[in-house]
Amino acid sequence: SRRFSSKPLLAYSEPDDVSNSDDTTASSAAPLPVHTSVSRDAGPLFKQECCEDGDSLCTVIPHRGQIRKRVLILCTGGTLTMSADPAKGNSLAPVQGALTEYLAGMRELTDDPEMPEVISHEYKPLIDSSDMGPGDWAMLARDIHTNYYHFDGFVILMGTDTMAYAASALSFMLQNLGKPVVFTGSQIPLREPYNDARKNLIMATIFASSDTVSEVCIFFHDRLLRGCRATKVNTSKLKAFDTPNLPPLAEIGINIEENEHLFRAPPRGSFRINPSMDTRMITLRLVPGFDDASIKAIIDAARQTHLKGLILQLYGTGNLPSIKDDFVQCLRDATDSGIVVVATTQCQSGSVILGHYATGQKLIGAGVVSASDMTIEATTTKLAYLLGRQDLSIDEVRDLITVDLRGEITPESDISPPPLASAYQKAIAKKNRSRVY
């Protein structure tokens, strides 16, 4: 069955307006960076005449049955649209119009009475996902906002390399989202005789017409994943994405198997977008034997350009060498100067627990914030989103990093205690897990 039902979870409701405890906001030091896209906004696409612009690659897929739902497909490019380009040494490149041509011949979208009506739009030019960034994510958010009340769901087609970043960014930009936004793409171009693009496109369209999915997701291969939990884990296999710290929202076999208890609750406010992102941040992945002086020089140089965020990829549960006191002092100086320092783990699954080892205690003393079990994609886009809000103080940004806004983080009470935890820590964790919320 393609009808969906769920038992919604209670979730943190993000405030529309946050009053500052002081006059220092996260972006008061300098104006926000300006992010632009090489493509232009699609604008309204909910009427037939909107797709009759001669310069627009927008197509209405006619439906033979009773129209129940409407889905808007926004295509930015990626492997799904690619073909060998002789002018570029037969390397793969996006082909403008390829998706529009292919959709017109897909009987799956037109003959099944349960399938929604589909309107597709190709941006100009189509681009590789490695060229996408905050300006493109903001463009997608604006187009979803413009067409929000005229469609039941949205599918975004793009390349896989930065899809997890885009899905995480849209998760935060789209506030009080009450409809599905499903990212998908492929590992093999749609024009190849054997490909994964066709199934991904069809299943993403089905999930985009869901009544109860009200969040940003990624559908890939045979799984529907929460967008702000996803990360790309393989470059050569069809199961390219995973959510290491959360089971799939749904899995596809002969039937659609749903994890209903994981579905997000319907929103309690009106839909709005916050597309601004402050990207004045750097990410550092530590390796054994790293040079303190070099990293300190990088941080000091970045502070001259109004650095606002520093994300550290640390060992295990959030550790660094205990003898690196100069580096810890550098982090303390950074936090004192208004930089948000966030600790993530280099492990694919698991969580940062800063208080477990003595080195973690030093980081807490230096003002470092734990990213818990967030992916690096969710951590970077969440921090950029919070800093870009412009109505939050630095202390409020630090506090909200640890708060679940879109299902991107596991509440601390639900995280299992680490190995060799004290009996007290284990008892507290067991007590928290037994509570009914």
Side-chain angles (χ1 to χ4, degrees):
S1 172
R2 291 180 188 151
R3 307 303 296 171
F4 296 76
S5 62
S6 68
K7 299 175 183 177
L9 294 172
L10 292 178
Y12 172 79
S13 179
E14 184 181 356
D16 296 335
D17 297 296
V18 180
S19 58
N20 295 321
S21 57
D22 53 47
D23 294 331
T24 304
T25 60
S27 45
S28 60
L32 290 179
V34 177
H35 300 288
T36 59
S37 173
V38 296
S39 305
R40 65 178 185 178
D41 291 16
L45 297 168
F46 45 85
K47 295 181 180 179
Q48 178 69 41
E49 52 267 29
C50 298
C51 294
E52 294 177 350
D53 179 4
D55 191 41
S56 174
L57 283 175
C58 176
T59 302
V60 179
I61 307 301
H63 199 285
R64 297 181 183 180
Q66 179 183 0
I67 297 176
R68 297 180 180 178
K69 297 289 183 68
R70 301 182 81 202
V71 169
L72 177 60
I73 298 178
L74 299 173
C75 178
T76 67
T79 300
L80 185 144
T81 66
M82 288 184 177
S83 183
D85 188 349
K88 299 180 180 179
N90 286 324
S91 60
L92 292 176
V95 177
Q96 201 80 49
L99 175 70
T100 301
E101 177 185 344
Y102 193 84
L103 286 175
M106 287 186 66
R107 296 183 62 184
E108 298 95 326
L109 300 180
T110 59
D111 290 3
D112 190 328
E114 293 190 29
M115 290 296 286
E117 177 188 33
V118 171
I119 293 180
S120 70
H121 173 77
E122 292 186 34
Y123 292 99
K124 288 185 178 180
L126 296 177
I127 58 175
D128 190 281
S129 69
S130 59
D131 292 322
M132 292 184 66
D136 304 286
W137 306 336
M139 176 188 68
L140 291 169
R142 290 192 299 268
D143 282 336
I144 291 173
H145 182 261
T146 299
N147 295 280
Y148 184 77
Y149 293 105
H150 302 278
F151 291 90
D152 297 285
F154 303 85
V155 173
I156 298 176
L157 303 180
M158 64 172 292
T160 60
D161 286 349
T162 63
M163 184 183 292
Y165 286 94
S168 293
L170 265 291
S171 296
F172 298 115
M173 289 181 175
L174 305 178
Q175 186 175 339
N176 294 325
L177 178 64
K179 300 178 180 182
V181 175
V182 185
F183 280 79
T184 195
S186 69
Q187 295 283 68
I188 307 171
L190 191 59
R191 289 191 170 188
E192 294 295 324
Y194 168 74
N195 65 74
D196 59 329
R198 189 182 188 95
K199 182 180 75 172
N200 288 351
L201 179 56
I202 292 171
M203 291 308 305
T205 303
I206 290 174
F207 279 112
S209 62
S210 162
D211 289 325
T212 54
V213 176
S214 54
E215 59 181 293
V216 178
C217 307
I218 291 177
F219 180 84
F220 218 87
H221 187 52
D222 61 355
R223 299 184 297 176
L224 184 71
L225 308 173
R226 175 161 295 157
C228 54
R229 288 279 195 158
T231 186
K232 187 174 181 181
V233 296
N234 203 298
T235 62
S236 59
K237 295 186 181 299
L238 300 185
K239 191 174 286 187
F241 289 89
D242 194 14
T243 48
N245 291 312
L246 188 76
L249 301 180
E251 295 185 81
I252 310 304
I254 295 176
N255 299 308
I256 298 177
E257 303 292 337
E258 303 161 8
N259 285 320
E260 299 175 351
H261 64 286
L262 296 177
F263 289 166
R264 296 284 291 169
R268 291 180 285 179
S270 59
F271 176 68
R272 58 176 53 85
I273 63 172
N274 290 292
S276 297
M277 292 193 124
D278 191 338
T279 55
R280 292 173 292 183
M281 62 177 69
I282 56 176
T283 300
L284 295 176
R285 183 182 178 93
L286 300 190
V287 296
F290 66 88
D291 181 28
D292 301 25
S294 297
I295 294 181
K296 185 176 184 300
I298 292 173
I299 296 174
D300 289 341
R303 287 168 63 182
Q304 302 303 313
T305 57
H306 306 289
L307 179 70
K308 303 305 295 182
L310 172 61
I311 297 173
L312 301 173
Q313 291 184 277
L314 304 178
Y315 315 130
T317 57
N319 301 312
L320 49 70
S322 59
I323 60 175
K324 299 285 187 179
D325 290 334
D326 290 343
F327 181 63
V328 174
Q329 182 60 47
C330 176
L331 298 180
R332 183 178 290 107
D333 294 341
T335 57
D336 290 344
S337 65
I339 297 173
V340 181
V341 183
V342 184
T344 66
T345 176
Q346 296 180 11
C347 300
Q348 187 176 32
S349 61
S351 176
V352 171
I353 307 175
L354 286 182
H356 184 51
Y357 294 103
T359 54
Q361 288 287 357
K362 289 185 178 182
L363 293 175
I364 294 176
V368 177
V369 180
S370 169
S372 190
D373 63 346
M374 285 193 290
T375 63
I376 188 64
E377 294 91 343
T379 304
T380 53
T381 53
K382 182 178 184 178
L383 181 55
Y385 161 75
L386 292 174
L387 293 171
R389 279 280 300 262
Q390 297 186 281
D391 60 348
L392 302 173
S393 69
I394 289 296
D395 287 339
E396 288 167 335
V397 170
R398 290 191 179 108
D399 290 340
L400 286 174
I401 283 291
T402 62
V403 174
D404 179 24
L405 302 180
R406 306 287 191 268
E408 76 281 0
I409 192 171
T410 302
E412 185 177 356
S413 59
D414 294 339
I415 296 177
S416 299
L420 302 179
S422 66
Y424 174 76
Q425 287 175 306
K426 293 179 179 178
I428 291 298
K430 181 178 180 180
K431 179 180 178 182
N432 289 335
R433 286 196 298 272
S434 67
R435 291 177 180 174
V436 177
Y437 293 94

